[in-house]
Amino acid sequence: MDDKRAPPPPSGESTRSVMCQLVNAEGENLGAAVYLPQNIGPPQLQDIVNQLLRNEDKLPYAFYIADEELAVELGTYMQQKNANVEITLRIVYQPQAVFRIRPVNRCSATIAGHTEAVLAVSFSPDGRCLASGSGDTTVRFWDLNTQTPMFTCKGHKNWVLCIAWSPDGKHLVSGSKSGELILWDPKTGNQLGTAMMGHRKWITAVSWEPVHLQSPSRRFVSASKDGDARIWDITTRKCVISLTGHTNAVTCVKWGGDGLIYTGSEDCSIKVWETTQGKLVKTLQGHGHWVNSLALSTEYVLRTGAYDHTGKTYSTPEEMKAAALARYEKMRGNAPERLVSGSDDFTMFLWEPTMSKQPKARMTGHQKVVNHVYFSPDGQWLASASFDKSVKLWNGITGKFVAAFRGHVADVYQISWSADSRLLLSGSKDSTLKVWDIRARKLKQDLPGHADEVYAVDWSPDGEKVVSGGKDRALKLWMN
């Protein structure tokens, strides 16, 4: 122990101190192992980590030993676990959000307007605007201040199955059951140009090119039941690249922060594409049934681009691009972007596609179809929703199982995270929404109110509000 940061145990009594090694979530050591007094707990560990990392502003951290959060002093922990004092304790530190999101607990508005089921809901990247898509073939924009409809956008010939905001917040694209895509101006509610045609069957998903790669936003990718994904340019409203190679329906698509596109399909594979010519980079195989859902560890910063909880606005596209790039790089750190896939085979895989074609982890435990997977905004957690009525929580870096949230009495359709990664929201066929507390691993809030199945939920990026929509045609806004 010749390291300066590891003083010998006080007065030769090694019984009073514990040898500890601080480790980050990726498993990298922070300094050398040190002897720490047994009366040290999370607050003191927080000071030590801030010192070792030379943080100018003190940041909050949570600490884990063997995947269990440390909430007591080290001595108490050692007694509870009957642990051997001679063995070095590996303590994992996890940065926590500096801001706190309060759980939503009341329905602040029920907004009528759609005449058929609400199939998709989404807040704008800055959280100030809200859009929905419905079986009544319309897209609607809502005024969050007055909680009334702002624009009803007509143009689709069939159900609106998916909607997606450009990460700069200037456009919304919607895809329908008849296969056309329409671009809307959220400020006026006007359709921009003619519908984009090309897909022969319905649109399953849409994802925009991240704003740190291109600002203002110009390109998005659509996935379809016809087995293709297509990249569109909104300035010409033409398909610029067709991504063909799947032998069955493409169910989901994500445009990653490193410029790659990931598609999941009913042919059981995930394909990785580059976006200059649309070349296939690699195919990820392993699932024994349809791939239903994909999620990226960087998804939250890709969705919000330059916007964060401070509400800062930007005057030029270049300024926005720089701010988005800084946020992306800070969130990603030195680790590769991770991808998770959920399938009809009841399992999930965790991948690091830029590093390997082999999955990093296979996650099993669900008893039925995995319908939706989603990383927490900080990338530390991963949640999955299943038709087995449960929501499961996993370690977002290792893929290790953490907890199961039970409470829904029917299929869970969709999940969404609070911006601080502390709370998780789920919407179910049982007509309720539920808010789960990640650190306490239990139900925080039960939100009944819908008259029928809840198909779509979203938690606004600013954390202030939740929206839900479903079979009862009503849109509900929830606040705290």
Side-chain angles (χ1 to χ4, degrees):
M1 293 305 299
D2 54 355
D3 191 288
K4 289 186 179 64
R5 273 177 295 203
S11 66
E13 292 186 29
S14 59
T15 49
R16 297 259 174 91
S17 50
V18 187
M19 176 71 98
C20 298
Q21 175 67 64
L22 287 159
V23 189
N24 72 7
E26 265 83 29
E28 296 156 355
N29 290 356
L30 176 62
V34 285
Y35 276 109
L36 295 175
Q38 294 203 9
N39 61 356
I40 275 188
Q44 295 84 356
L45 284 170
Q46 201 156 280
D47 294 341
I48 294 168
V49 171
N50 274 299
Q51 270 176 352
L52 289 174
L53 290 173
R54 298 189 174 87
N55 292 334
E56 285 171 30
D57 301 320
K58 279 181 64 171
L59 296 174
Y61 292 91
F63 298 93
Y64 293 84
I65 302 172
D67 283 339
E68 200 178 308
E69 187 170 359
L70 177 70
V72 291
E73 291 180 355
L74 290 173
T76 315
Y77 172 85
M78 302 297 278
Q79 279 174 333
Q80 284 172 353
K81 298 289 175 203
N82 209 351
N84 180 356
V85 190
E86 307 299 316
I87 292 173
T88 305
L89 266 190
R90 274 173 70 85
I91 304 177
V92 179
Y93 64 94
Q94 263 191 27
Q96 304 292 294
V98 272
F99 56 95
R100 271 199 112 80
I101 303 293
R102 293 179 307 190
V104 291
N105 54 19
R106 62 188 176 87
C107 180
S108 66
T110 300
I111 327 174
H114 282 299
T115 55
E116 288 294 337
V118 178
L119 303 176
V121 292
S122 183
F123 284 103
S124 59
D126 62 4
R128 290 180 190 162
C129 194
L130 170 66
S132 59
S134 163
D136 65 12
T137 76
T138 70
V139 168
R140 284 175 183 253
F141 290 98
W142 309 86
D143 184 327
L144 288 171
N145 295 322
T146 59
Q147 303 185 340
T148 54
M150 223 162 40
F151 310 114
T152 300
C153 309
K154 296 177 176 164
H156 283 294
K157 299 174 179 57
N158 210 322
W159 302 353
V160 179
L161 298 176
C162 52
I163 56 176
W165 289 86
S166 61
D168 63 3
K170 297 198 171 20
H171 299 95
L172 181 100
V173 71
S174 55
S176 90
K177 200 172 175 207
S178 18
E180 81 277 355
L181 293 142
I182 296 181
L183 195 67
W184 309 95
D185 177 352
K187 283 197 173 63
T188 61
N190 293 338
Q191 180 175 332
L192 299 168
T194 52
M196 291 167 268
M197 313 292 284
H199 283 298
R200 300 178 306 286
K201 288 186 178 169
W202 68 79
I203 309 295
T204 52
V206 175
S207 184
W208 285 82
E209 181 171 21
V211 77
H212 70 261
L213 298 176
Q214 165 65 46
S215 178
S217 301
R218 266 187 68 166
R219 299 193 298 169
F220 69 86
V221 60
S222 59
S224 167
K225 177 78 177 161
D226 65 13
D228 292 345
R230 289 171 177 261
I231 300 176
W232 306 81
D233 186 321
I234 64 169
T235 44
T236 59
R237 275 178 296 285
K238 296 254 184 310
C239 170
V240 284
I241 300 173
S242 232
L243 307 175
T244 53
H246 281 296
T247 55
N248 213 328
V250 182
T251 54
C252 42
V253 63
K254 295 288 173 200
W255 198 316
D258 299 338
L260 294 168
I261 286 175
Y262 306 96
T263 51
S265 164
E266 287 182 9
D267 67 10
C268 309
S269 78
I270 296 147
K271 290 188 184 292
V272 185
W273 315 80
E274 63 82 45
T275 55
T276 48
Q277 298 161 305
K279 282 204 180 91
L280 178 65
V281 180
K282 57 179 77 162
T283 301
L284 308 176
Q285 280 165 322
H287 281 299
H289 210 308
W290 299 354
V291 178
N292 293 323
S293 180
L294 289 174
L296 286 166
S297 55
T298 51
E299 203 154 323
Y300 179 78
V301 285
L302 298 184
R303 170 191 178 175
T304 52
Y307 299 106
D308 62 12
H309 66 281
T310 61
K312 189 171 181 238
T313 52
Y314 301 88
S315 44
T316 66
E318 294 72 33
E319 211 180 283
M320 189 177 261
K321 185 176 182 178
L325 181 62
R327 285 188 75 217
Y328 174 71
E329 286 176 342
K330 185 179 175 206
M331 194 271 139
R332 219 195 85 172
N334 303 323
E337 198 168 44
R338 298 182 301 284
L339 178 79
V340 72
S341 53
S343 163
D344 264 30
D345 67 9
F346 311 171
T347 74
M348 297 142 66
F349 280 110
L350 180 64
W351 315 83
E352 283 176 352
T354 50
M355 311 296 282
S356 166
K357 280 169 77 165
Q358 301 307 316
K360 193 172 173 184
R362 180 169 185 252
M363 291 122 91
T364 59
H366 279 299
Q367 310 291 313
K368 285 188 180 171
V369 169
V370 179
N371 192 50
H372 191 210
V373 289
Y374 214 166
F375 275 96
S376 62
D378 63 10
Q380 302 280 351
W381 306 105
L382 177 58
S384 56
S386 165
F387 286 3
D388 67 9
K389 310 174 191 172
S390 78
V391 174
K392 289 190 191 296
L393 183 70
W394 317 78
N395 181 309
I397 292 159
T398 62
K400 215 169 152 184
F401 173 74
V402 177
F405 295 130
R406 301 188 193 282
H408 283 298
V409 294
D411 304 2
V412 186
Y413 288 142
Q414 207 175 18
I415 44 184
S416 189
W417 286 89
S418 67
D420 63 359
S421 305
R422 289 186 177 100
L423 301 164
L424 177 69
L425 168 77
S426 56
S428 163
K429 184 178 181 171
D430 69 11
S431 84
T432 72
L433 283 77
K434 296 192 193 305
V435 179
W436 310 92
D437 184 320
I438 293 308
R439 291 179 74 175
R441 316 246 164 103
K442 58 177 199 267
L443 181 68
K444 184 94 176 165
Q445 206 74 46
D446 198 7
L447 303 171
H450 276 287
D452 213 326
E453 307 187 14
V454 180
Y455 293 143
V457 296
D458 194 22
W459 201 315
S460 68
D462 61 10
E464 297 291 310
K465 44 212 167 285
V466 157
V467 65
S468 57
K471 210 169 175 179
D472 67 2
R473 308 171 189 184
L475 210 62
K476 282 187 183 287
L477 280 173
W478 310 80
M479 310 257 177
N480 49 20

